[in-house]
């Protein structure tokens, strides 16, 4: 079984995946694969988990501890990608102070859809919107996908997740007429707008490229 753990660890490293992301792929908690590889628990992979991982890494189930069989064909172009949901909220109000941004769950998206969206699967994550300052564009409880490659170096007009004074916020950013100046504001007119903000005072986490919402009205 040590050979199976070593093989799985090699496969994860070769694809530059993380233990948490692979755990999410098989619907397990974020530390499941790390515990399997590093601590030996569980003693062996569940049959369904092994089948999913063998298909994902395009190897035989035998290499992951299963019965002998031919290698599986590479996963098709439209295979599902697990995108981590971070255990933080992006305030669309007055800001929220959060702890470490760790994956608490995941959502699966078709790889072709993500490619058409123009994002890299290993450079995106999802958080929940908190507050009403971006209503009606974004509502309290919405899930938003963040492109972490689309940050300060590519900033342009749009909706961004940013960190300001240790608060994680979701705001609309508009490029000002002077170099290095931004306007940061809310779509809800009841909330304040900040003009001529020094871009160096803001840490851009990434651009919002997608949102999901339950069928409810914004308050």
């Amino acid at each position: 079984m040590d050979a199976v753990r070593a093989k799985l660890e090699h496969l994860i490293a070769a694809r530059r995946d993380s233990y948490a992301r692979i755990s999410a792929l098989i619907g397990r908690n974020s530390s499941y694969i790390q515990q399997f590889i590093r601590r030996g628990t569980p003693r062996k992979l569940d049959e369904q988990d092994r089948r999913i991982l063998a298909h994902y890494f395009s190897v035989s189930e035998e290499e992951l501890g299963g019965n002998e069989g031919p290698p599986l064909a590479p996963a098709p172009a439209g295979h599902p990608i697990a995108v981590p949901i971070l255990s933080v909220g992006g305030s669309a109000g007055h800001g929220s102070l959060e702890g470490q941004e760790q994956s608490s769950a995941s959502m699966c998206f078709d790889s072709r859809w993500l490619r058409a969206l123009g994002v890299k699967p290993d450079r995106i994550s999802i958080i929940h919107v908190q507050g009403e300052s971006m209503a009606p564009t974004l509502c309290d409880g919405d899930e938003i996908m963040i492109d972490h490659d689309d940050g300060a170096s590519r900033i342009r007009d749009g909706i961004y997740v940013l960190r300001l004074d240790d608060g994680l916020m979701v705001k609309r950013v508009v490029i000002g007429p002077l170099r290095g100046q931004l306007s940061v504001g809310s779509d809800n007119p009841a909330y304040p707008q900040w003009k001529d903000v020094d871009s160096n005072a803001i840490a851009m986490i990434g651009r919002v490229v997608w949102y999901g919402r339950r069928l409810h009205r914004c308050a």
Side-chain angles (χ1 to χ4, degrees):
M1 187 56 67
D2 288 342
V4 172
R5 295 188 178 90
K7 178 65 175 182
L8 182 57
E9 186 172 33
H10 171 75
L11 291 170
I12 293 171
R15 291 191 62 150
R16 296 183 179 180
D17 266 316
S18 67
Y19 294 143
R21 191 182 295 273
I22 298 304
S23 296
L25 178 68
I26 59 176
R28 302 287 187 170
N29 68 70
S30 61
S31 61
Y32 185 85
I33 289 297
Q34 182 178 25
Q35 291 176 347
F36 171 72
I37 292 175
R38 298 293 175 84
R39 299 182 183 179
T41 56
R43 294 181 60 186
K44 64 179 182 177
L45 291 169
D46 177 81
E47 181 179 354
Q48 179 64 23
D49 293 345
R50 186 176 61 243
R51 183 176 298 113
I52 294 172
L53 293 174
H55 186 71
Y56 180 74
F57 289 112
S58 300
V59 298
S60 68
E61 289 192 45
E62 182 189 16
E63 294 180 75
L64 298 180
N67 296 325
E68 184 175 357
L72 295 175
H79 64 281
I81 297 292
V83 179
I85 301 175
L86 302 184
S87 55
V88 298
S91 174
H94 297 291
S96 61
L97 187 63
E98 300 289 350
Q100 293 183 342
E101 298 163 13
Q102 298 179 339
S103 174
S104 60
S106 66
M107 293 179 65
C108 284
F109 294 83
D110 185 271
S111 60
R112 291 170 297 185
W113 185 87
L114 291 176
R115 187 163 55 248
L117 193 61
V119 297
K120 299 177 181 177
D122 61 341
R123 296 294 296 156
I124 54 179
S125 61
I126 292 172
I127 65 172
H128 292 91
V129 173
Q130 296 177 351
E132 303 169 357
S133 77
M134 287 300 293
T137 308
L138 298 173
C139 300
D140 184 46
D142 284 353
E143 293 165 322
I144 55 176
M145 182 184 293
I146 309 164
D147 181 2
H148 296 277
D149 275 344
D150 201 345
S153 62
R154 296 169 55 185
I155 191 167
R156 57 198 187 281
D157 293 357
I159 299 176
Y160 286 82
V161 175
L162 52 89
R163 195 182 298 279
L164 181 63
D165 294 332
D166 292 326
L168 199 64
M169 311 183 79
V170 185
K171 294 295 177 186
R172 185 174 295 280
V173 172
V174 178
I175 303 298
L178 299 179
R179 184 182 180 89
Q181 288 190 341
L182 310 169
S183 291
V184 178
S186 308
D187 286 3
N188 186 338
Y191 286 76
Q193 312 284 325
W194 298 288
K195 296 183 178 180
D196 301 330
V197 177
D198 184 353
S199 60
N200 294 321
I202 302 174
M204 291 292 178
I205 306 301
R207 186 181 178 92
V208 178
V209 294
W210 172 91
Y211 75 91
R213 174 182 302 166
R214 292 183 181 181
L215 293 177
H216 68 276
R217 294 181 61 185
C218 291

